[in-house]
Amino acid sequence: MSADANPAERPATLPTQPAGAWLDAVRWDADGLVPVIAQEQGSGDVLMFAWMNREALALTAELGRAVYYSRSRQRLWRKGEESGHVQQVHEIRLDCDQDVVLLKVTQLGHEPGIACHTGRHACFFQRLEGQGAEAQWQTVEPVLKDPETIYNR
Amino acid sequence: MSADANPAERPATLPTQPAGAWLDAVRWDADGLVPVIAQEQGSGDVLMFAWMNREALALTAELGRAVYYSRSRQRLWRKGEESGHVQQVHEIRLDCDQDVVLLKVTQLGHEPGIACHTGRHACFFQRLEGQGAEAQWQTVEPVLKDPETIYNR
């Protein structure tokens, strides 16, 4: 019997909720999100951290490029949609507790790759220096491209 | 005037709240936590993902070993306290939005290092294989040590 034969037996899934046991296996948080780490395939550098909802993860797998969920804008965020700095996705991994995703990516759109909105290679450019209460976050990575020229093209 | 001269002028900080502008700079979430990525210094492998509160981050910096905050147990979790798989911390980094921490660590206690409670090197041992709704998470990394022998010594 096809799914259309008896509408009452159709899955209760909304049209925007992509199907897949692999998506059900993810332990989404109370907001329906999962934290995501993007790691550069070639260098091993941790580029950035973001969030995905079910639709973003399904799209990422389907398109082979990173699609996140922006909590501030409350909508899908196709990485690179404004900057051109698209992330090509080689692998999608899930952790032991099924509640964190790791992407292995190539950062496209600039050489070397720019993942951060500040125009830097990666978002983790502040390093703690010093000891105790006097320690300070120091910026230790260069800006590769002026963000003004990235976002106001 | 010393801080003891006039008790009324003492900082209102609780004894368990370590001081430091660098700790104030972190954008703690509504639960007072920040997500933390632990990356192996030598290999670049992303080992695990966890959370820290202010005390955990201060202790991590002070001790040079990773101290997380366990959300399930609601207490500090000195990584390796049961397993012996301590993480020596070489660098503490903060991201562009000041709300994610990256640790560069050496995973001690076993060779090769075991960060995951399943006895594997890293927590991200499940890789998505296949396409569309039929895709599946496949375990692609070996168990290096039986968890029974890690936690019931």
Side-chain angles (χ1 to χ4, degrees):
Chain A
M1 186 167 70
S2 80
D4 285 336
N6 183 346
E9 292 186 12
R10 282 182 196 158
T13 313
L14 294 171
T16 53
Q17 292 295 300
W22 70 278
L23 289 163
D24 298 334
V26 175
R27 285 177 51 202
W28 307 96
D29 73 9
D31 298 319
L33 303 177
V34 68
V36 182
I37 302 160
Q39 181 181 31
E40 192 169 50
Q41 168 116 317
S43 65
D45 292 342
V46 176
L47 297 177
M48 55 177 282
F49 173 91
W51 298 82
M52 288 185 183
N53 62 6
R54 186 177 175 109
E55 190 180 1
L57 182 54
L59 275 172
T60 296
E62 182 184 331
L63 303 174
R65 54 173 281 193
V67 179
Y68 300 106
Y69 180 82
S70 167
R71 295 184 302 170
S72 57
R73 290 174 284 178
Q74 297 191 23
R75 67 166 177 84
L76 290 185
W77 159 37
R78 291 164 190 262
K79 174 70 178 164
E81 64 191 5
E82 290 181 53
S83 64
H85 299 159
V86 168
Q87 291 175 341
Q88 179 184 1
V89 175
H90 304 287
E91 280 189 25
I92 303 177
R93 291 196 173 216
L94 187 64
D95 82 333
C96 50
D97 294 328
Q98 323 271 106
D99 62 0
V100 185
V101 168
L102 174 68
L103 302 180
K104 304 284 186 85
V105 307
T106 297
Q107 181 64 58
L108 304 174
H110 188 274
E111 186 58 45
I114 296 176
C116 185
H117 76 286
T118 64
R120 293 182 177 86
H121 175 55
C123 294
F124 299 92
F125 56 81
Q126 299 177 86
R127 189 169 64 197
L128 190 66
E129 307 280 359
Q131 294 295 320
E134 304 310 311
Q136 290 187 325
W137 300 106
Q138 300 283 354
T139 295
V140 293
E141 306 290 349
V143 172
L144 301 176
K145 188 174 181 182
D146 181 350
E148 288 289 318
T149 69
I150 297 176
Y151 294 99
N152 299 310
R153 293 175 302 171
Chain B
M1 186 167 69
S2 80
D4 285 334
N6 184 346
E9 291 185 12
R10 283 183 196 158
T13 313
L14 295 172
T16 53
Q17 291 296 298
W22 70 278
L23 289 164
D24 298 333
V26 176
R27 285 177 53 203
W28 306 96
D29 73 9
D31 297 318
L33 303 178
V34 68
V36 181
I37 302 160
Q39 181 181 31
E40 192 169 50
Q41 168 115 318
S43 66
D45 292 342
V46 176
L47 297 177
M48 54 177 281
F49 173 92
W51 298 82
M52 288 184 183
N53 63 5
R54 187 178 175 109
E55 190 181 1
L57 182 53
L59 276 172
T60 296
E62 182 184 331
L63 303 175
R65 56 173 279 192
V67 179
Y68 300 106
Y69 180 81
S70 168
R71 295 185 302 171
S72 57
R73 289 175 284 177
Q74 297 192 24
R75 66 166 177 84
L76 290 185
W77 159 37
R78 291 163 191 262
K79 173 71 178 162
E81 64 191 5
E82 289 181 54
S83 64
H85 299 159
V86 168
Q87 291 175 341
Q88 179 184 1
V89 175
H90 304 288
E91 281 189 24
I92 303 177
R93 291 196 174 216
L94 187 64
D95 81 334
C96 49
D97 294 327
Q98 323 271 107
D99 61 2
V100 185
V101 167
L102 174 67
L103 302 181
K104 304 283 187 85
V105 306
T106 297
Q107 181 65 58
L108 304 175
H110 189 274
E111 186 59 45
I114 295 175
C116 184
H117 77 284
T118 65
R120 292 181 176 85
H121 176 55
C123 294
F124 298 93
F125 56 81
Q126 300 177 88
R127 189 169 65 198
L128 191 66
E129 306 282 358
Q131 294 295 319
E134 304 309 311
Q136 290 188 325
W137 299 107
Q138 299 283 354
T139 295
V140 294
E141 306 291 348
V143 172
L144 301 177
K145 188 174 180 182
D146 181 349
E148 288 290 318
T149 68
I150 296 176
Y151 294 100
N152 297 312
R153 293 176 301 173

